[in-house]
C-alpha cells in the first residue's frame, strides 16, 4: 500500500501536490476508503468513489441522480444561480427527460456527421502545425491542442469564425471558476454572456439555417416534440463546453506521456494502426476527465459497505477507477499494446445512459492530431526534459490537464 499523508484532505482541497500526481492518493483511498466521505471547499457533504467496479455501478445507478435541480440547495451553493439557465440539458437530467433529449440530439449528432469532419480536421491539424515555430520552444497547448477542438466544434455547431474566440473565452472562464467572490462574479457574467449569445445564434439559425448541427437541432422532432428554447440554449452550451476543453487537455496529456515514454511513441510510429488503441490507453492512463460530473443520492445508498445518506453529493473518480489493479494488470504502466478487452473497459467516457455523446468525435480528433503531429515532426521533444510538468490547478478534481506544454517540434541535430 502507498503511504500518503492525509489523503482525504489532499483530494478534497486539491493541493498542488495532489494536482501534480493524484495517483498515490487514489491508490491509498482504493485500499483504505473506497467510498470516502469528504468536505470539499464548496462545503457540501460529498462521497468520493475510487474503485473500478463501484465506479462502474455508480455511473448507472438510478438512485444517484444527475438532475441537479433535484438537489437545488446544494447546486446553488456550488455553482450559483446563473448556472441554472445553462444546465437544462441531458447532462443534468434523468429519464424520461434525459431519454428524450439524448434521442433528439443523437438523431442529428450522428457518426456520419462526425466522419464527414475527417478531411476538415486534417486540414485544421496541418494549418495549425504550419503556424508553429519548429526550431524554438512553443507551448503546444495554445498553439495546437486548444485551437484544434475549438475550431472543429465551432464548425460543427455553426459558430461564425469571427465569434469563436469570444465564445471560447467565456467557456474558459466558466471552466476555471473557483469559490471566491470575484471568481463567482466572473462566472456569472460569463454564463449570462453565453446564454445571450446562444439565444441570438439560434435565432439566426432559424431565420437562415445552414448545414450545421445547431440548425438541425432547431427543427429536430420526435413523438414528444422538439427541444424547447431553454433546452436548445443549454444543449448548445453543453456541446461547446464539452466539445473542446476535454479534448484539448487530452491532446496535451497524450503528447506529454508519449514524450515521457519514447518506446511507446516508437511503437505507434512504426505501426500506425496502433494509434486507435493508443488513444484508448491514453484515456485510461491519464484522461482529461478526472471525476464524473456530480450526482446526488435520492435515497440512502450503500456502496462497498459505506452508507451514502440521502441528499449527499457523489463524485466518481474515473482517473482512480481506470488505474484499479483489481481490473487492470500493471495499471500504472502506459502500454499502447495493452489487450483490446482491457483498453475498451476504461471508464474515461463514462458508462450507461450518460456515456459521452462526443466520444466518437474526440477519438477522431485525437487520432488525427497525434498522427499529424508525430508523422510531421518525428523528433518532437520536450523543451526542457529535466523540468517537472506543471499541471492545472482546479478548485475540485473535475479536469486533469497540463498548465503548459513547451516543446521543440524539430530540434536541431547536434
Amino acid at each position: 500500500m502507498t503511504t500518503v499523508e492525509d489523503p482525504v484532505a489532499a483530494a478534497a482541497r486539491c493541493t498542488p501536490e495532489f494536482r501534480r500526481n493524484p495517483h498515490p492518493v487514489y491508490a491509498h483511498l482504493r485500499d483504505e476508503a473506497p467510498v470516502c466521505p469528504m468536505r470539499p471547499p464548496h462545503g457540501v457533504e460529498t462521497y468520493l468513489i475510487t474503485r473500478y467496479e463501484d465506479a462502474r455501478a455508480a455511473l448507472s445507478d438510478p438512485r444517484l441522480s444527475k438532475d441537479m435541480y433535484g438537489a437545488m440547495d446544494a447546486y446553488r451553493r456550488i455553482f450559483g444561480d446563473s448556472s441554472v439557465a445553462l444546465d437544462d440539458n441531458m447532462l443534468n437530467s434523468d429519464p424520461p427527460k434525459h431519454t428524450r433529449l439524448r434521442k433528439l440530439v443523437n438523431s442529428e449528432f450522428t457518426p456520419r456527421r462526425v466522419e464527414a469532419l475527417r478531411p476538415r480536421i486534417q486540414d485544421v491539424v496541418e494549418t495549425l502545425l504550419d503556424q508553429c515555430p519548429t526550431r524554438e520552444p512553443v507551448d503546444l497547448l495554445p498553439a495546437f491542442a486548444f485551437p484544434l477542438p475549438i475550431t472543429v466544434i465551432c464548425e460543427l455547431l455553426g459558430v461564425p469564425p469571427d465569434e469563436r474566440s469570444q465564445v471560447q473565452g467565456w467557456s474558459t472562464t466558466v471552466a476555471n471558476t473557483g469559490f471566491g467572490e470575484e471568481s463567482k462574479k466572473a462566472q456569472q457574467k460569463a454564463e449570462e454572456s453565453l446564454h445571450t449569445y446562444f439565444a441570438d445564434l439560434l435565432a439566426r439559425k432559424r431565420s437562415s439555417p445552414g448545414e450545421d448541427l445547431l440548425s438541425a437541432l432547431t427543427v429536430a422532432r420526435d413523438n414528444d416534440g422538439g427541444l424547447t428554447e431553454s433546452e436548445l440554449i443549454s444543449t448548445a452550451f453543453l456541446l461547446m463546453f464539452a466539445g473542446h476543453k476535454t479534448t484539448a487537455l487530452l491532446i496535451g496529456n497524450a503528447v506529454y506521456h508519449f514524450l515521457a515514454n519514447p518506446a511507446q511513441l516508437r511503437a505507434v510510429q512504426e505501426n500506425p494502426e496502433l494509434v486507435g488503441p493508443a488513444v484508448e490507453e491514453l484515456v485510461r492512463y491519464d484522461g482529461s476527465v478526472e471525476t464524473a460530473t456530480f450526482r446526488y443520492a435520492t435515497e440512502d445508498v450503500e456502496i462497498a459497505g459505506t452508507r451514502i445518506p440521502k441528499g449527499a453529493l457523489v463524485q466518481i473518480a474515473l482517473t482512480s477507477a481506470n488505474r484499479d489493479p483489481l481490473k487492470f494488470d500493471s495499471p500504472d504502466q502506459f502500454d499502447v499494446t495493452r489487450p483490446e478487452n482491457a483498453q475498451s473497459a476504461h471508464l474515461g467516457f463514462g458508462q450507461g445512459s450518460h456515456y459521452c455523446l462526443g466520444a466518437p468525435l474526440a477519438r477522431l480528433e485525437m487520432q488525427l492530431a497525434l498522427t499529424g503531429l508525430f508523422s510531421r515532426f518525428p523528433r518532437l521533444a520536450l523543451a526542457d526534459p529535466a523540468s517537472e510538468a506543471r499541471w492545472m490547478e482546479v478548485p475540485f478534481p473535475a479536469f486533469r490537464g497540463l498548465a503548459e506544454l513547451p516543446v521543440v517540434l524539430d530540434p536541431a541535430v547536434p
Side-chain angles (χ1 to χ4, degrees):
M1 182 185 72
T2 304
T3 301
V4 179
E5 182 178 354
D6 201 1
V8 176
R13 296 197 313 269
C14 285
T15 62
E17 294 77 16
F18 177 76
R19 295 314 313 143
R20 282 197 293 272
N21 184 12
H23 302 294
V25 171
Y26 286 136
H28 182 96
L29 293 177
R30 285 194 303 268
D31 287 344
E32 300 296 323
V35 181
C36 179
M38 307 175 71
R39 184 64 67 173
H42 53 66
V44 180
E45 184 179 19
T46 302
Y47 287 75
L48 183 70
I49 297 174
T50 53
R51 286 181 183 166
Y52 179 90
E53 292 298 341
D54 297 333
R56 191 175 190 277
L59 287 167
S60 300
D61 193 327
R63 299 171 299 174
L64 300 179
S65 173
K66 289 297 300 292
D67 179 10
M68 293 307 291
Y69 293 97
M72 184 57 75
D73 289 344
Y75 178 92
R76 289 183 186 276
R77 284 175 62 184
I78 297 172
F79 296 108
D81 294 342
S82 60
S83 297
V84 176
L86 289 175
D87 284 344
D88 190 12
N89 54 51
M90 58 188 168
L91 181 65
N92 299 294
S93 61
D94 298 324
K97 179 176 179 177
H98 173 267
T99 306
R100 177 179 66 84
L101 294 177
R102 178 120 185 174
K103 180 181 177 182
L104 284 164
V105 178
N106 265 337
S107 69
E108 299 299 336
F109 195 6
T110 61
R112 181 178 180 180
R113 188 184 287 273
V114 170
E115 182 58 30
L117 290 169
R118 179 181 292 271
R120 179 58 183 139
I121 297 173
Q122 290 177 324
D123 287 344
V124 176
V125 167
E126 292 303 319
T127 298
L128 291 172
L129 293 178
D130 284 343
Q131 297 169 353
C132 290
T134 59
R135 294 295 178 92
E136 60 189 56
V138 57
D139 186 347
L140 209 62
L141 295 183
F144 182 69
F146 273 90
L148 172 58
I150 192 68
T151 301
V152 173
I153 196 64
C154 283
E155 294 197 3
L156 176 68
L157 296 178
V159 176
D162 60 346
E163 299 171 9
R164 293 172 186 173
S165 61
Q166 183 66 79
V167 173
Q168 182 184 8
W170 291 324
S171 296
T172 299
T173 298
V174 173
N176 293 338
T177 296
F179 297 105
E181 191 63 32
E182 289 303 313
S183 179
K184 284 197 170 291
K185 286 181 181 179
Q187 173 202 15
Q188 180 174 351
K189 183 177 180 181
E191 288 174 338
E192 291 171 350
S193 296
L194 282 166
H195 190 277
T196 300
Y197 173 79
F198 281 120
D200 174 71
L201 180 62
L202 287 162
R204 284 183 271 160
K205 299 298 181 186
R206 286 195 183 92
S207 62
S208 182
E211 298 298 319
D212 55 86
L213 181 57
L214 289 187
S215 292
L217 289 176
T218 61
V219 297
R221 293 288 185 271
D222 67 5
N223 295 334
D224 298 318
L227 294 162
T228 67
E229 183 68 10
S230 174
E231 290 167 351
L232 273 169
I233 293 171
S234 295
T235 297
F237 166 72
L238 172 63
L239 295 173
M240 169 64 66
F241 185 84
H244 80 273
K245 185 179 182 69
T246 54
T247 303
L249 294 176
L250 185 56
I251 291 172
N253 293 2
V255 173
Y256 172 76
H257 287 302
F258 267 128
L259 296 181
N261 295 272
Q264 299 301 305
L265 176 55
R266 283 196 302 272
V268 173
Q269 288 174 323
E270 292 170 1
N271 182 6
E273 291 184 1
L274 282 176
V275 70
V279 169
E280 301 304 317
E281 172 66 351
L282 286 157
V283 174
R284 183 204 68 81
Y285 181 73
D286 209 2
S288 57
V289 181
E290 186 166 343
T291 61
T293 50
F294 285 115
R295 286 158 168 80
Y296 83 98
T298 58
E299 59 184 80
D300 289 355
V301 178
E302 183 172 313
I303 299 177
T306 297
R307 173 182 166 272
I308 299 175
K310 178 180 178 179
L313 293 180
V314 175
Q315 281 195 280
I316 302 167
L318 306 179
T319 290
S320 175
N322 285 334
R323 292 211 188 183
D324 187 343
L326 297 178
K327 180 63 181 180
F328 302 97
D329 292 334
S330 303
D332 294 323
Q333 180 179 341
F334 174 39
D335 181 7
V336 299
T337 63
R338 188 176 294 274
E340 183 179 354
N341 62 335
Q343 290 180 339
S344 62
H346 72 73
L347 300 177
F349 291 121
Q351 172 70 27
S353 63
H354 281 278
Y355 185 84
C356 177
L357 182 73
L361 178 59
R363 288 183 169 109
L364 179 60
E365 289 179 292
M366 284 292 297
Q367 291 175 20
L368 295 178
L370 296 176
T371 300
L373 180 65
F374 288 120
S375 62
R376 183 164 175 178
F377 299 108
R379 297 189 299 116
L380 173 71
L382 294 170
D384 184 3
S387 66
E388 186 175 10
R390 192 163 68 87
W391 296 87
M392 287 171 47
E393 295 184 14
V394 291
F396 46 85
F399 302 110
R400 173 149 176 85
L402 292 161
E404 59 181 1
L405 182 55
V407 301
V408 178
L409 294 176
D410 189 18
V413 177

